[in-house]
């Protein structure tokens, strides 16, 4: 007689828990049905190391980055974009448009629209890596195949090498111009026939090359700190230059 009420209470409690679980499942299903199309990408997929992978398909650089290993916040991505957009190459582009006959605001607007159009495919291309922690060479396997993924990966590497050279030349030239403004004609030198530039220009180029390599070798965390430091300065200098 004493055990019967206890059994009844236990059964009632189990039924209430089962009913609550069913209601939660129904609510989740209803939320999935009512969610906008963009939320289809909000599935719960956690990056994890592959189990027993083939040695030819994975190495330390191709492993997914777990959520606990990611250190970039929204502010860090914003700083990265600022340093990409506000740069000497952007000034070169806008200046060349003005030289071709555009007004200053037409040149700035053209560069802004161009960056905006580039932003869309770049964000779409970066979404899987940002969400699931997989690098581009792994993502490219979905569309190019395992061996074919080497083609876009090497293409990006070659473009990166070329862009690194362009940026290094611009940075070295900027250093040379500042030194020349301080030192005057004492920095002048004869042109090296096998390069077409002077010795001081070559030295500034190599100095800026070493500076970039030091930052790269120290890893992505060092790059993040440099971006955080430089982004506010670039915004301030761009505003001052525009006002001037």
């Amino acid at each position: 007689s004493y055990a019967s009420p206890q059994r009844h209470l236990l059964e009632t409690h189990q039924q209430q828990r089962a009913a609550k679980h069913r209601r939660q499942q129904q609510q989740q299903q209803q939320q999935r049905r009512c969610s906008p199309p963009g939320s289809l990408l909000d599935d719960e997929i956690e990056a994890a190391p592959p189990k027993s992978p083939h040695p030819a398909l994975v190495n330390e650089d191709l492993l997914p980055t777990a959520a606990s290993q990611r250190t970039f916040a929204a502010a860090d991505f914003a700083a990265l974009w600022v340093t990409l957009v506000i740069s000497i190459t952007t000034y070169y582009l806008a200046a060349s448009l003005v030289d071709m006959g555009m007004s200053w605001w037409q040149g700035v607007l053209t560069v802004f629209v161009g960056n905006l159009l580039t932003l869309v495919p770049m964000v779409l291309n970066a979404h899987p890596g940002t969400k699931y922690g997989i690098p581009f060479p792994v993502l490219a396997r979905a569309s190019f195949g395992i061996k074919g993924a080497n083609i876009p990966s090497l293409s990006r590497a070659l473009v990166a090498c070329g862009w690194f050279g362009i940026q290094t030349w611009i940075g070295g030239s900027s250093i040379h111009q500042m030194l020349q403004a301080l030192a005057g004609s004492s920095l002048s030198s004869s042109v090296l026939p096998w390069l077409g530039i002077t010795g001081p220009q070559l030295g500034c180029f190599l100095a800026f090359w070493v500076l970039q390599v030091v930052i790269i070798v120290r890893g992505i965390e060092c790059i993040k700190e440099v971006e955080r430091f430089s982004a506010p300065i670039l915004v301030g200098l761009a505003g001052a230059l525009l006002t001037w």
Side-chain angles (χ1 to χ4, degrees):
S1 60
Y2 177 74
S4 179
Q6 277 190 333
R7 228 179 2 255
H8 177 70
L9 288 174
L10 181 61
E11 291 175 354
T12 302
H13 181 64
Q14 290 176 342
Q15 291 174 357
Q16 289 175 347
R17 289 183 60 184
K20 181 179 179 181
H21 181 66
R22 285 195 297 271
R23 285 197 301 270
Q24 289 177 344
Q25 286 184 328
Q26 291 173 355
Q27 289 175 355
Q28 290 175 355
Q29 291 175 356
Q30 182 67 21
Q31 288 176 353
R32 292 193 191 99
R33 285 195 294 267
C34 297
S35 296
S39 63
L40 294 175
L41 298 174
D42 297 333
D43 46 357
E44 297 180 359
I45 298 180
E46 177 61 34
K51 297 180 179 179
S52 303
H54 192 281
L57 300 179
V58 67
N59 58 41
E60 199 65 32
D61 295 324
L62 297 179
L63 289 175
T65 303
S68 59
Q69 298 173 312
R70 303 176 199 175
T71 59
F72 268 64
D76 299 314
F77 284 110
L80 177 62
W81 268 101
V82 167
T83 54
L84 287 173
V85 174
I86 305 178
S87 62
I88 299 297
T89 50
T90 305
Y91 296 158
Y92 276 179
L93 178 58
S96 65
L97 295 176
V98 172
D99 186 56
M100 293 170 61
M102 288 188 178
S103 63
W104 70 266
W105 67 266
Q106 288 175 330
V108 172
L109 181 62
T110 302
V111 174
F112 174 78
V113 173
N115 278 280
L116 192 63
L117 293 176
T118 307
L119 172 67
V120 176
M122 289 187 69
V123 169
L124 293 175
N125 187 50
H127 175 80
T130 305
K131 183 171 178 59
Y132 306 120
I134 55 175
F136 176 79
V138 176
L139 173 63
R141 292 174 182 174
S143 52
F144 288 88
I146 294 176
K147 294 184 177 180
N150 293 320
I151 297 175
S153 300
L154 290 174
S155 298
R156 293 185 72 176
L158 292 174
V159 171
C161 290
W163 188 243
F164 179 80
I166 294 171
Q167 295 283 68
T168 306
W169 170 251
I170 293 174
S173 298
S174 300
I175 294 175
H176 181 261
Q177 290 291 333
M178 289 187 290
L179 292 177
Q180 197 170 34
L182 294 173
S185 59
S186 61
L187 200 64
S188 301
S189 177
S190 58
V191 175
L192 301 175
W194 48 284
L195 282 178
I197 58 176
T198 64
Q201 285 177 311
L202 177 60
C204 292
F205 174 84
L206 294 177
F208 197 76
W209 182 90
V210 171
L211 177 63
Q212 292 185 99
V213 171
V214 169
I215 295 173
I216 295 171
V217 169
R218 296 187 64 181
I220 191 66
E221 289 299 318
C222 182
I223 295 176
K224 181 179 72 173
E225 295 302 324
V226 172
E227 302 287 4
R228 279 182 179 178
F229 174 77
S230 59
I233 297 176
L234 286 173
V235 172
L237 290 177
L241 182 61
L242 182 62
T243 302
W244 177 75

